[in-house]
Amino acid sequence: MKTKIPWWHFPLLLVVLGSLLPLIWMLATAWKTPEQVFNASLNPWPYPATAANFAYVMGAIPLGRYILNTFIIAFIVTAAKLLTSILAAYGFTQFSFRGRETLFYLCLLSIFVPFTVTMMPNYLFMSRMGWLNTYTGVALPQMADALGIFLLRQSIRSIPPSLVEAARLDRVGHGRILGRVLLPAIKPSLIALGILFFINTWNEYFWPLLMINDKSMYTLPLALQMFTNLEGGTNWGAMMAAATLASLPPVVAYLLAQRYVVDTFIHSGLKG
Amino acid sequence: MFLNWRRGVIASVLIGTLAGSLLTGCGTGNKASGSGSAGNGGKVTTIEYWHVNSENFGGQTVRDLVQKFNEQHPDIKVVEKFQPNMYLGLMQNLQAALAGGHPPAVAQIGYNYLDYATANLPHLPVEDAAKTDPEGQAFLNNYLPNILNLGRVNGKLEGVPYSISNPVLYYNADMFKAAGLDPQNPPKTWAEVRDMARIIKEKTGNYGLYVQEPSDNWAQQAMMESNGAQVLTRTGGKARATFDSPEAIEAYQLMADMVLKDKTALHATWEEGTQAFITGKVGMYVTTIARRNYIETSSKFKVLTAPFPTFGNKPRRVPAGGNALFIFAKDPDQQKAAWEFIKYLESPEALTTWTKGTGYLPPRQDVTDDPRYLKPFMEQNPLMKPAVAQLPDAVPWVSFPGNNGLQAEQVLLDARDAILGGRQPAAEVLKEAAAKVNKLIGN
Amino acid sequence: MKIAREPGPKFAAIKGYLVPWGCLAPALAFLALFTFWPLVSTLKLSFYQWNMVSPTPKWVGLTNYLEILRSREFWLAFWHTLEYTLILLALNLALPYITAYILSHLVFKGQNFYRALIFLPSVLSLAVAAVIFLWLYNPLAGPVNALLRLLGLPAPPWLSSYRWVIPALAVITAWKSFGYNFIVLLAGLVAVPLELIEAARLEKASNWQIFWRIVRPLTSGTALYVLVMTVIIGSQYVFVPIQMLTNGGPDQASTNLVFFIYQYTFNFFQTGKAAAAAVITLIIFGGLLFLQKRVLEKGVYYEN
């Protein structure tokens, strides 16, 4: 049955507008001269547009280096989180031993520990290890993720047990069960989770802020604060240009793989 | 210590076995700090210099000075690092860096944190650093004793006074004309400020006044103390917050009335306020002379300055703003390099560059009066005159003693928001805040 | 242990433990090191006075707790946390829930268009969101106030106004998180069997009735997940705009519990009090979780 009720599109369009307007203003402001920024702040279509803000940002910060830093950290963290989550999910689903459930719920509890509670001991620990201003310092504390363990455990549980049983009867080793049977079966979840991890790490602001004060090690979100805090007149055009550049990689990646990303989210059971 | 050594061991093992392959070649060492080398066989000592000078506040001048120093000293490499949110932000980052064991070698400490830094942060008092240098005493003799006192805590010279500033009244001469006011007759008292602000508002629709609101209470202290109040009263080694006296309340309430009743004064962040002034939306602006260069060059109208207004006939009291240079390096080589760098920053040439690029007054009278250095500049630049003229009115910038100095400062910032934001009248807010500060500083 | 294919029962027993624990070890080790050990360390620290720099922390017993619980700032932070949470529940649970319902059951064209664009802001950094809104909220020249003035409406200084600062910051967080919650809820909603809804339609149930009586109960598991995440993660997300834009101001009007802990740690360097506040916050969160479990579990229908 297809009940077409076109006016239901209005609330949806309103939501879309709410999602896009801030981005439109970010883009528009990035292309404005200072005069246009202040005198025509409502105009979403700067004319004539100027690329001066982008030129300024590119001159002021080593953009390529920051993209590389951000990418390396996001990549390490994503890979490590997936690896530890897969192994743990395998451990929690394929074996039964005393204390398994307790241990699992203990893992889950870590989701509810706000990072401000752990940041100070972790900061001191990292700095005593000499890991300030290193990829290690940023990446190491986030190499396990309870949410990842939880979601992959759900996914593995939803695989028909007969598949694994059959492999076991054939005396197949653990590595092969995992690699040949389980991982292919939960591939959509893995991809969705990986994308989620990657985007979240790419966007992370606070922990890198504590770990990194050497400008050459900045990540893109950190570079943004170099354009705020200019007492006496933020250069808004430049700030929005920097925000645009910092958002470009995840947005482009998302738009290219958009259908796939959203579809995997919807169909992978990436929900509680 | 709370961080057990075992964590270190476990972590190392973990990295070695599990994540090692992922990380190989990814981490780069901490190059900037802690690389002071013992054997000096052509080795370069790298030190960090932390400052509060953003792009609009002498940032370029800092870079020029550092570059020049590095050229002159092939064995030392200074890396400058800007710290946001003024002296408060710098103090906070500094303490975190000290906790992490990687402090900068030299840092600008705002005069309002002298007590806190001396009591809480391990440092090398410059008095001790000077003793290791045969020319040290001669160098310190360049300063007038009252200036050198700005860097002293309990009699000991902890940091070398570097930047000195005081608050002046900048005003938009074009807007004065448009409002029918005489640009040659800026307000001399706060009563006149209030009247003129009203006229500006009526005639031009713009705000009349903005008094700087950064993360310190410097300008507010100038107002309160010029009305005869004392922000902090020290008697026999004990300090008491006394910014809830009737005079202090009166001064603050005047500001609140202009913001809330007259609606002729702007209550905004420093950033927004400065922006408002230089884009011609505010007629008068009370801020530090140290911003002179930026304000002068970025305003498209004629900017003039006047001395900080007084309350009737009461004497003007302006806190000496600015900062002293402290040494936080631990390694002897770095300490030596730090002292060299400080001597350079305080040299007549460097101070001349510094004053021209910012607006700070130099701590050395000999530099101000010398025709080779700042004398011609000071004579040519009329905007600097009020600041020089009111130097005799300088009082110390309040610096809260004890371990809770950073929080005490925050209490005053909150009070400012509460009064100017209209939560409660000045009297109640200041009473409450004074009680809180007294508790924090141990009364 | 189910699997035993090696000879000798003893060896098998050892090996039987080796594999599962080997699988769990990496994740457990990281969580133990960087989440649970710091937690213990924080608990310990809450009984000391320490500025992070001095060599020896000073034992002060329960003083930190007592002082925190007696301070105005802590209770401000506490109530503000509730205020943020309520706003976020409206903007990041109720609103995306209804939006997802409309998209999944009332509209049939443009599915991909809507999904793609509504999800878009969630791939951005909160830091980016914060600076965009810093400009949008600019009191003198920002677009929001320019528009309000054009319409003849009052244009408050959003981030320095007692009344508006919390909603203004909550909106930043909500804008960034909306898309993710929306997609998660949508995933739950598309799983609701269409036959049920069609049957209800035949009985002339209104759309609201269908949502409330059929769809909501059937998706309550997903909703519970989003609810818990909004409560717990929301107060952490909101921290970024607080720290970047207002620093808790004006006059602590935008502080929340997470920011309070940060402020006492890295602004005041009173780590003992920060630790005490952290422990209290954990207890509050724990209590909330427990309550949620008790209250909601009865009405929750698990899809699986």
Side-chain angles (χ1 to χ4, degrees), chain A residues 164-187:
Chain A
V164 183
E165 286 306 319
R168 272 199 192 133
L169 288 175
D170 291 344
R171 303 207 144 200
V172 175
H174 291 290
R176 286 191 151 203
I177 294 185
L178 193 57
R180 297 274 169 83
V181 181
L182 292 182
L183 290 188
I186 58 167
K187 198 171 149 197

Side-chain angles (χ1 to χ4, degrees), chain A residues 35 38 56 65 72 76 79-80 83-84 121-125 127-136 139-140 143 213-217 225 228-234 236, chain B residues 1 3 7-8 11-12 15 18-19 22-23 26-32 48 50 54-56 81-82 84-86 96-97 99-100 102 270-271 274-275 278-279 291 294 300:
Chain A
E35 277 72 30
F38 282 105
Y56 174 78
R65 171 81 212 209
I72 291 174
I76 296 174
L83 189 70
T84 57
N122 279 342
Y123 169 80
L124 291 180
F125 173 61
S127 54
R128 294 211 177 124
M129 297 297 286
W131 286 335
L132 292 186
N133 291 315
T134 63
Y135 299 135
T136 316
L140 202 63
M143 286 194 168
N213 55 42
D214 181 345
K215 274 186 195 163
S216 69
M217 291 296 292
Q225 48 141 11
T228 64
N229 262 316
L230 299 179
E231 292 93 352
T234 298
W236 293 102
Chain B
M1 209 63 336
L3 295 152
R7 297 183 66 205
S12 321
I15 294 148
L18 181 93
L22 284 169
L23 292 165
C26 293
T28 69
N30 191 0
K31 290 158 288 179
E48 272 183 28
W50 282 16
S54 62
E55 286 312 302
N56 301 327
K81 276 192 180 161
F82 162 66
N85 208 13
M86 290 303 290
H102 302 280
W270 200 19
E271 195 172 17
T274 310
Q275 202 166 57
I278 61 177
T279 52
R291 302 297 293 279
Y294 174 71
K300 295 208 169 89

Side-chain angles (χ1 to χ4, degrees), chain B residues 39-315:
Chain B
N40 223 340
K43 274 218 164 182
V44 177
T45 307
T46 303
I47 59 171
E48 272 183 28
Y49 169 46
W50 282 16
H51 60 85
V52 298
N53 304 102
S54 62
E55 286 312 302
N56 301 327
F57 190 15
Q60 187 56 47
T61 311
V62 171
R63 277 197 292 278
D64 292 346
L65 288 170
V66 165
Q67 196 192 347
K68 216 163 170 202
F69 176 82
N70 286 342
E71 279 163 15
Q72 290 171 10
H73 299 78
D75 56 331
I76 302 174
K77 185 170 176 249
V78 177
V79 179
E80 52 86 20
K81 276 192 180 161
F82 162 66
Q83 302 297 321
N85 208 13
M86 290 303 290
Y87 300 117
L88 179 62
L90 187 143
M91 285 305 291
Q92 291 164 349
N93 292 346
L94 179 63
Q95 193 154 350
L98 278 159
H102 302 280
V106 179
Q108 297 178 348
I109 300 298
Y111 294 126
N112 54 334
Y113 291 115
L114 278 191
D115 282 79
Y116 183 81
T118 306
N120 289 281
L121 308 182
H123 63 287
L124 173 71
V126 291
E127 193 172 306
D128 300 342
K131 279 180 194 145
T132 61
D133 179 355
E135 297 162 30
Q137 197 48 51
F139 170 73
L140 291 179
N141 286 341
N142 290 321
Y143 298 81
L144 293 173
N146 67 328
I147 297 287
L148 218 45
N149 279 343
L150 289 174
R152 273 189 224 280
V153 177
N154 300 327
K156 181 145 192 168
L157 188 66
E158 305 281 354
V160 191
Y162 178 45
S163 310
I164 295 173
S165 65
N166 54 44
V168 296
L169 181 92
Y170 295 77
Y171 59 101
N172 181 332
D174 297 354
M175 203 190 288
F176 263 54
K177 265 188 214 145
L181 297 167
D182 178 7
Q184 293 314 310
N185 274 315
K188 289 184 192 64
T189 64
W190 281 100
E192 288 175 28
V193 169
R194 190 172 185 176
D195 286 343
M196 291 188 184
R198 204 177 279 140
I199 294 170
I200 291 172
K201 176 92 183 179
E202 276 166 17
K203 294 279 166 61
T204 68
N206 292 314
Y207 282 106
L209 174 73
Y210 174 70
V211 177
Q212 71 162 38
E213 295 178 34
S215 61
D216 61 55
N217 298 281
W218 188 59
Q220 287 69 32
Q221 186 193 338
M223 283 186 76
M224 290 188 273
E225 300 210 339
S226 288
N227 197 30
Q230 280 276 337
V231 170
L232 194 69
T233 309
R234 288 176 201 261
T235 38
K238 269 220 136 201
R240 269 195 73 76
T242 46
F243 55 78
D244 56 348
S245 65
E247 294 85 2
I249 291 167
E250 190 187 33
Y252 236 125
Q253 192 59 47
L254 168 79
M255 194 62 218
D257 287 348
M258 286 183 70
V259 170
L260 300 165
K261 263 196 218 150
D262 302 2
K263 301 203 191 303
T264 56
L266 179 64
H267 164 49
T269 63
W270 200 19
E271 195 172 17
E272 292 160 356
T274 310
Q275 202 166 57
F277 181 77
I278 61 177
T279 52
K281 292 191 161 81
V282 176
M284 295 177 276
Y285 175 23
V286 173
T287 193
T288 166
I289 191 63
R291 302 297 293 279
R292 193 255 324 138
N293 188 28
Y294 174 71
I295 293 171
E296 202 178 5
T297 50
S298 32
S299 306
K300 295 208 169 89
F301 45 85
K302 188 167 173 52
V303 185
L304 293 173
T305 54
F308 188 81
T310 59
F311 283 86
N313 295 325
K314 292 181 193 171

